[in-house]
Amino acid sequence: MSDSAAIRVLLVEDNPGDARLVEILLSEVDSPRFEITHAGCLEEAIELLVGEAHYYDVILLDLSLPDSSGLETVSRMRAAAARTPMVVLSGQDDEETALLSVGRGAQDYLVKGQEDGSLMVHSLRYAIKRHQTEEELRQSEERFRLLVEGVRDYANFMLDP
């Protein structure tokens, strides 16, 4: 994702007013530009994720949806979109829920009504970058594992000048 490219956001939010507020907050930021796709429930979001034509840079996920609520929402979304960074946007100002959300795969946790456009942009960009770094580390560890597993014969030599 370059700075000039639009950041594609899947906004999973059942409240039209909250969804509109997110759209307004993100539209007020000069750079980067955001392309927002809105889903009103978890099943709709999962359907959008499995569609071949859809790719999202980040998911902005409400915890209280008509078809899922609480930490189950985070777990189900993570299972459906294992390789997409996710930021939880919730009405619950609860540190324990925030920590558990991150433990289940969210990159960040924002509280509705406490965020502004710049904080939300910072959180979304950080989530994307953190996820990219984690993916690079995972790939590096996989390459190293394959290298070590591929070694059949080896010997240690000690040389004395």
Side-chain angles (χ1 to χ4, degrees), residues 28-136:
E28 291 175 345
V29 178
D30 292 331
S31 179
R33 191 171 49 85
F34 291 90
E35 292 176 5
I36 300 170
T37 302
H38 179 234
C41 66
L42 189 62
E43 288 305 317
E44 181 184 354
I46 291 171
E47 287 176 17
L48 288 169
L49 287 164
V50 298
E52 292 180 23
H54 293 86
Y55 167 80
Y56 301 97
D57 295 304
V58 64
I59 297 166
L60 192 54
L61 178 69
D62 183 16
L63 287 185
S64 299
L65 299 168
D67 56 348
S68 184
S69 65
L71 296 172
E72 173 193 353
T73 307
V74 177
S75 297
R76 288 178 59 195
M77 181 56 78
R78 180 50 57 223
R83 304 240 188 234
T84 306
M86 174 175 40
V87 173
V88 171
L89 180 61
S90 175
Q92 301 176 29
D93 187 2
D94 178 22
E95 188 172 341
E96 182 177 348
T97 302
L99 292 172
L100 291 170
S101 295
V102 170
R104 292 188 182 201
Q107 270 71 37
D108 204 351
Y109 186 97
L110 298 173
V111 178
K112 292 178 184 179
Q114 294 182 2
E115 82 285 351
D116 61 18
S118 61
L119 174 63
M120 189 175 292
V121 169
H122 175 78
S123 180
L124 294 175
R125 292 184 86 170
Y126 175 77
I128 293 166
K129 186 61 179 168
R130 179 176 166 203
H131 186 77
Q132 287 172 343
T133 302
E134 289 170 351
E135 183 63 20
E136 289 167 3

Side-chain angles (χ1 to χ4, degrees), residues 143-152:
R143 285 191 302 271
F144 182 73
R145 184 189 62 77
L146 291 172
L147 176 70
V148 170
E149 287 178 356
V151 173
R152 297 287 181 227

